[in-house]
Every structure is written in structure tokens, then in C-alpha cells.
Amino acid sequence: MNAPRHAWVTGAGGGIGRAVARQLAEPGATATLIGRGRAALEETAELMRAKGAAARVLALDVRERGALGAALGDEPAPQVVVAAAGICLQ
């Protein structure tokens, strides 16, 4: 797989977000992993690092207006954005 240079992945702490982050992980790839649970995001980051990718963790709630923009600040634009954040209502 030709990994993108950089990706932003929301919902990266589990489910589809984690699965996509793992697929993007290969040497030279970088990702900013975004979600509410720092511990789960760190687990995803470790899975990526084990495959030679670099990962940055941002623990925040994307539902909070402005939180994502403020946290990403001057970070360079990604080649891929994965919007996998969500909740399950039962």
C-alpha cells in the first residue's frame, strides 16, 4: 500500500477509525489520531508505531465547536482525512 505522508483520523480510539489507522500504518506514514479517550488513542498509536509509522495523539471531543481547529493549529494539511468519530445510540 502506498501510504499517504500524513492523515488525520477522528474516532481513532476504536472501531472503524482504529481499523483505518492501522491500514494507513507503514514506514514513512504519519497520522494525527483524534478522539475522546487518550488511553485508546495511545493503543492505536502504538499499533501504528509497531509498523514503522509515526502517530500523534489528540484527545478531544470533535463535537465541541472549535476544539479540533484550535488543537490542529498550524499543523500542515493532511493528504487524507478520515471522519470516523461517532457514537452508538441504542
Side-chain angles (χ1 to χ4, degrees):
M1 171 188 236
N2 290 328
R5 277 192 9 234
H6 188 64
W8 294 347
V9 183
T10 67
I16 293 169
R18 177 176 279 176
V20 172
R22 291 181 69 188
Q23 288 297 310
L24 294 172
E26 69 176 39
T30 64
T32 299
L33 306 176
I34 304 159
R36 291 182 294 156
R38 180 170 296 281
L41 292 169
E42 290 292 350
E43 289 175 15
T44 303
E46 286 305 314
L47 292 169
M48 292 189 72
R49 292 174 187 136
K51 291 184 173 184
R56 173 183 177 212
V57 168
L58 282 180
L60 57 86
D61 190 336
V62 297
R63 297 174 298 174
E64 293 180 17
R65 175 172 245 132
L68 188 57
L72 292 171
D74 295 330
E75 185 171 305
Q79 283 73 40
V80 172
V81 175
V82 179
I87 57 172
C88 179
L89 299 175
Q90 294 187 16

